[in-house]
Amino acid sequence: IEFPGQPAITCEDLQAQGDTGFITNGQCDRLPGLVNRVCGCNPPCSVCGDGKEVDFPVAVISFPGQPAVTCGDLQTNGYIGIIPAGQCERLPDLIDEVCGCDPRTPDPTPNPTRAPVPNPTPSPTPAPICTPTGKKGGYGGKKGGYGNGCQIGYGGKKGGYG
C-alpha cells in the first residue's frame, strides 16, 4: 500500500504496526476506508442485509459513542468495508426504522389515462343555393346579367359586370 509522503508498506506490516500501537487512533480510524480494497480487511456488506439498500439515504442515525451519520454514508461505509462483518450483520435490525431497510414498497401505479379524443370534425358547410333573380328570369338588371350572390354579378341597364 502506498500513502502520499510515506514509503510503500505491505498489508501485513500495516496490521503489525496497528497491533503494536505504532498507528495513532486518529489514523487507525481512517485506515479501513483507505486500505480495505487493497488488503481486504473487511468484506463489503450491505447494512440493510443482502440485496437490500437503505430507502432513506439522507436520514440521520446515531449509535451510542459514535458520531451521527446519514444512512447513505453508513451504507457506503459498509460497501467499502469500513464496518467489520460482525457489526454489519447486526445493523439491519438496528437501522431499519430510521433508514428504511424493508423491501421498498413500489410507488402506486397511476390510474390509466385515456388517449385524447379529437374534437368531432364539423360537417362541411353546404354550398349556397343560387337562384336566378331579375325581371327576365335570372338577369340582374333590366337588360341582363347574373346577380344571384353566387358569382360575380353581370348586370346593369345595358349589361356589363357589377
Side-chain angles (χ1 to χ4, degrees), residues 51-139:
K52 297 179 184 175
E53 294 184 351
V54 296
D55 290 333
F56 312 114
V58 295
V60 176
I61 192 162
S62 60
F63 302 99
Q66 298 290 322
V69 63
T70 66
C71 295
D73 286 345
L74 185 65
Q75 179 171 265
T76 299
N77 291 344
Y79 287 153
I80 63 174
I82 291 177
I83 303 170
Q87 290 178 8
C88 199
E89 291 169 4
R90 294 190 304 266
L91 283 176
D93 292 332
L94 299 173
I95 69 170
D96 182 28
E97 189 174 320
V98 175
C99 297
C101 290
D102 293 324
R104 189 169 192 154
T105 304
D107 293 333
T109 303
N111 291 331
T113 55
R114 292 187 209 178
V117 177
N119 289 335
T121 305
S123 300
T125 306
I129 298 173
C130 301
T131 55
T133 60
K135 283 185 173 184
K136 303 236 177 194
Y139 294 99

